[in-house]
Amino acid sequence: MQRRIAHLDMDAFFASVELLRYPQLAGLPVVVGGRRGTLAGDRIEDFPRLRDYVGRGVATTATYPARALGVHSGIGLMKAAALAPDAILLPANFDDYIRYSRLFKAAVAEIAPLIEDRGIDEIYIDLTDVPGETVELAQRLKDAVRAATGLVCSIGVTPNKLLSKIASDLQKPDGLTVLDYADIPARIWPLAARKINGIGPRAGEKLDAMGIHTIGELAAAAPESLIAEFGQHYGHWLTEVAHGRDERPVVTERETKSVSRETTFERDLDVRADRDTLTEILVKLCERVAGDLKRKGYVGRTIGLKLRYDDFRTVTRDLTIEHATDDAPAILAAVRSCLKRVPLDRRLRLLGVRVGTLAPPGEAGPRPPQPGENLRLFD
C-alpha cells in the first residue's frame, strides 16, 4: 500500500501567536525580534515601529504583509527597517510559542499518533493507516489545530517526506495540497531546484553554473554529470530527489545529540572593557544549558564553547570531561578551560555554550568551582 505522509507547517507561527495577543494588528506588517520592552498602550499607534530600531538583532519571523515587503526570518532588523520602516516590531515570547507548539502537536496526535517532531512549528505525520479519505483527513487535522490554538496551518500530503515538505509550501497560508507521483511533472518540476530541502545556497550556485535552475532540469540532468560535480553520494541523491523518490520513514522518537544556548550581542563587546558583562552572559548561558539538560533528562561529557568575532569569524573549542554532568558550575569550569585555547584579541559579537555526548543521568560530574574561586572568565 502506498504511503500517505503529511507535512504540517504552522503559518508564520511566532507572529501568529503574537496576533492572538494583539488582534488589532491583524492584516498589518508585523516583525517579531529584538528585546522585550514595555508598550505605551494597546492602540496601534502605541506599538514600536521598525524604523526606530537600533541594534544587531535579527527578525525571528514576520507576518505575510511584512513578507510582501521583503522582510523574512533571519534578516537583520536594521536591514528590515530599510525595507519596511512602518512595520510594527514586537519582541519574541518563547514561552508562549512553546505552549502553542505543544497544543497543536497534541491536537494532531489525537487523530494521527505517528508524528515526527521537526521543530517548534512543523511536524511530519504518517497517515498511511489512519482511516479516512486524504483530503478530508487533512482538513480534520487543520480544523483540530485551529480549534486547539486559534491558529492556521498549511499541510501537504504525498507519498513521502520530501514531496510533502514541498507541497505544504505551495498554497500558504492556510493551504491544503495533496499530490501523487503522477503530479510531479506538472506541480514539482517547474519549481526552483532550491525548493528541495537539502539544496542550499552553495549547491544552488553550482547547479546554476551547470544551467540547472528548476527541479525538472535537475531530473533531466545526466546522473554521471551530477556525480562528477557533487560526488557519488550527493550527486546520486540529487537525481533521486528530483524524481520525487524518498524512502525515509517518519521517525517518532529522536535521540537528542546535544543541548546548546547562544546569544548575539546588541553591540560588539571588548574582552577587557566588558569582561564583567561577558562573564555574566557566559554564566547565564551555562545555567540555561544545565536547566535544559535537566528538563530533557540528560547529562553530557563534551562541553563546547563558541565565539564569533567582530569580523564574523567563528571559532569553537570542545573539552571532554571525565564524568558526564548537568551541573552549571561544572559546565562553567569546562568552558573556562576552553577559553584558554582561543584568541581573545578581537571584540566579540556572539557567545555560545554546548553540551554533547549525552547519556541518561547517574554519573557524577567533576568538582565545581568552590566558593570564593575566581569566576571572572575573561581575565
Side-chain angles (χ1 to χ4, degrees):
M1 181 171 58
Q2 182 169 285
R3 295 191 301 165
R4 289 192 302 179
I5 307 300
H7 180 258
L8 187 151
D9 191 16
M10 301 300 292
D11 295 328
F13 182 50
F14 295 174
S16 298
V17 171
E18 295 299 332
L19 293 182
L20 292 178
R21 183 185 293 111
Y22 305 116
Q24 65 271 40
L25 302 182
L28 299 177
V30 177
V31 179
V32 177
R35 293 181 172 179
R36 293 189 181 185
T38 302
L39 295 177
D42 58 5
R43 299 173 303 168
I44 291 177
E45 54 267 31
D46 294 327
F47 288 87
R49 303 291 164 160
L50 198 51
R51 63 172 172 264
D52 298 321
Y53 177 81
V54 177
R56 295 197 120 106
V58 298
T60 304
T61 191
T63 59
Y64 286 97
R67 295 182 188 193
L69 298 172
V71 181
H72 54 80
S73 60
I75 190 174
L77 289 175
M78 295 287 284
K79 183 176 180 180
L83 297 171
D86 294 325
I88 290 167
L89 178 62
L90 295 177
N93 188 334
F94 284 97
D95 289 340
D96 273 2
Y97 308 153
I98 291 170
R99 180 165 64 89
Y100 278 96
S101 177
R102 290 170 177 163
L103 285 173
F104 94 76
K105 291 170 186 175
V108 170
E110 289 291 323
I111 299 171
L114 296 181
I115 294 172
E116 178 176 332
D117 195 332
R118 295 303 300 170
I120 196 168
D121 62 350
E122 64 174 314
I123 54 177
Y124 287 107
I125 317 157
D126 193 334
L127 301 175
T128 306
D129 297 322
V130 179
E133 190 273 332
T134 301
V135 173
E136 293 178 356
L137 182 54
Q139 189 61 54
R140 280 180 60 200
L141 293 170
K142 287 168 59 66
D143 292 343
V145 168
R146 186 190 287 266
T149 65
L151 302 170
V152 298
C153 65
S154 292
I155 186 167
V157 187
T158 78
N160 61 52
K161 292 162 69 172
L162 167 79
L163 294 174
S164 294
K165 174 78 170 178
I166 297 173
S168 67
D169 195 49
L170 291 180
Q171 300 186 68
K172 276 182 168 287
D174 200 17
L176 194 167
T177 305
V178 177
L179 300 179
D180 206 338
Y181 287 119
D183 298 307
I184 290 176
R187 301 295 301 277
I188 301 298
W189 281 354
L191 301 175
R194 298 188 194 197
K195 285 288 186 179
I196 294 176
N197 189 36
I199 297 181
R202 188 170 299 177
E205 290 174 1
K206 285 188 175 183
L207 290 173
D208 287 341
M210 297 173 68
I212 298 172
H213 309 291
T214 68
I215 299 176
E217 290 170 344
L218 182 60
E224 55 270 22
S225 67
L226 296 173
I227 290 172
E229 181 65 34
F230 294 96
Q232 178 69 39
H233 178 75
Y234 192 72
H236 175 71
W237 176 82
L238 286 172
T239 298
E240 290 293 293
V241 297
H243 287 88
R245 295 191 282 264
D246 177 21
E247 298 301 322
R248 292 174 298 157
V250 170
V251 180
T252 57
E253 294 184 4
R254 186 174 299 273
E255 183 178 355
T256 302
K257 295 183 179 180
S258 66
V259 172
S260 63
R261 290 275 187 157
E262 63 181 44
T263 185
T264 301
F265 313 134
E266 291 291 322
R267 62 176 179 86
D268 297 334
L269 297 182
D270 183 87
V271 171
R272 294 190 179 277
D274 300 303
R275 62 184 178 184
D276 289 339
T277 299
L278 287 164
T279 296
E280 181 182 358
I281 291 170
L282 203 52
V283 169
K284 288 181 178 178
L285 288 172
C286 292
E287 291 172 347
R288 289 171 182 167
V289 168
D292 292 341
L293 287 168
K294 289 181 172 69
R295 282 190 294 273
K296 294 175 181 289
Y298 287 106
V299 291
R301 293 186 61 230
T302 303
I303 315 299
L305 171 72
K306 177 180 178 181
L307 300 179
R308 181 167 297 145
Y309 299 110
D310 56 359
D311 60 358
F312 289 89
R313 285 185 302 114
T314 301
V315 298
T316 60
R317 294 292 184 271
D318 289 337
L319 176 68
T320 299
I321 58 180
E322 183 177 356
H323 300 293
T325 185
D326 60 3
D327 180 67
I331 295 170
L332 184 63
V335 168
R336 290 188 69 187
S337 296
C338 292
L339 269 172
K340 297 176 182 177
R341 296 159 42 215
V342 295
L344 296 174
D345 54 350
R346 297 192 67 95
R347 298 171 72 89
L348 302 177
R349 61 178 287 112
L350 176 147
L351 275 178
V353 173
R354 183 184 71 88
V355 176
T357 316
L358 303 183
E363 300 180 37
R367 180 185 71 90
Q370 300 301 303
E373 287 187 347
N374 178 29
L375 286 181
R376 292 182 72 175
L377 307 182
F378 289 86
D379 287 337

